[in-house]
Amino acid sequence: MTDTPENGAAAPAAAPQITSRVLAQYIRDMSFENILAQKGVTGDAQPEIQVQVNLDARKRQTENQYEVITKLNITSKTKEKGDPLFVLEIEYAGVFHVEGVPEDQMHPYLLIECPRITFPFLRRIVSDVTRDGGFPPLNLETIDFLALYRSELARRTEAEKAKEKAN
């Protein structure tokens, strides 16, 4: 007896099984500048934090292995005068073994799912570095990597349209 639905139609093909493992995580590059300690800031230093996020993914030489890098540029300035307090730049990488993802879905998978996996570790590093640098620990809000990916696609589409109009 075969496993077919009662109406006689064939069962749909099973979706490919996706497997993903984190092989390694590491800080590729990091810089922390405590400008407050270097120059001094007068008055009550209420901070205003700005966080810029960039993502990069590249295939490694080993089959099914990818390196995904989350780059953060965090600046803190005083709300009143805009005097800089600190600057933290960090590149945090994860090496992933990924199988079963269709080729046309690999790019979004690498730039959405992989950073989502490594983000809690990056958040902890940022908290520790800012605390060890003499500031209250900076606990980053969760980043919506799907929204970030969509906004980058929209930005690229607009840039391409503007380039076509210019030609």
Side-chain angles (χ1 to χ4, degrees):
M1 182 168 209
T2 60
D3 292 334
T4 57
E6 289 182 20
N7 64 4
Q17 182 65 34
I18 296 174
T19 58
S20 178
R21 289 190 326 255
V22 180
L23 302 177
Q25 295 183 63
Y26 57 95
I27 298 171
R28 282 192 50 175
D29 190 22
M30 185 175 74
S31 171
F32 181 79
E33 296 177 49
N34 185 336
I35 299 165
L36 176 66
Q38 295 172 15
K39 296 182 180 178
V41 174
T42 58
D44 188 19
Q46 290 293 319
E48 183 174 289
I49 308 287
Q50 291 183 327
V51 179
Q52 293 179 331
V53 182
N54 289 305
L55 299 170
D56 189 20
R58 54 180 73 115
K59 181 145 178 45
R60 298 184 63 162
Q61 290 182 345
T62 306
E63 186 176 353
N64 298 322
Q65 281 191 15
Y66 302 87
E67 181 180 51
V68 179
I69 303 160
T70 305
K71 301 173 187 179
L72 297 180
N73 186 340
I74 303 169
T75 57
S76 177
K77 298 179 180 181
T78 61
K79 285 184 180 179
E80 187 177 295
K81 295 183 182 178
D83 294 332
L85 298 172
F86 70 82
V87 176
L88 172 59
E89 296 172 342
I90 185 168
E91 292 184 11
Y92 191 74
V95 178
F96 296 85
H97 179 92
V98 180
E99 290 184 54
V101 177
E103 192 62 36
D104 64 330
Q105 295 298 311
M106 186 60 78
H107 189 255
Y109 184 86
L110 292 174
L111 294 180
I112 298 168
E113 293 304 320
C114 294
R116 193 178 291 167
I117 293 168
T118 59
F119 181 73
F121 302 96
L122 175 57
R123 173 191 280 158
R124 174 67 189 265
I125 293 168
V126 168
S127 177
D128 289 349
V129 167
T130 54
R131 183 198 64 228
D132 292 349
F135 295 92
L138 175 59
N139 295 310
L140 295 174
E141 295 288 325
T142 301
I143 296 172
D144 185 349
F145 291 103
L146 176 59
L148 190 65
Y149 183 79
R150 286 179 176 161
S151 68
E152 179 61 17
L153 285 181
R155 186 194 66 78
R156 287 184 182 187
T157 302
E158 289 299 318
E160 288 175 11
K161 287 180 183 177
K163 187 177 177 181
E164 287 176 5
K165 285 183 180 180
N167 290 339

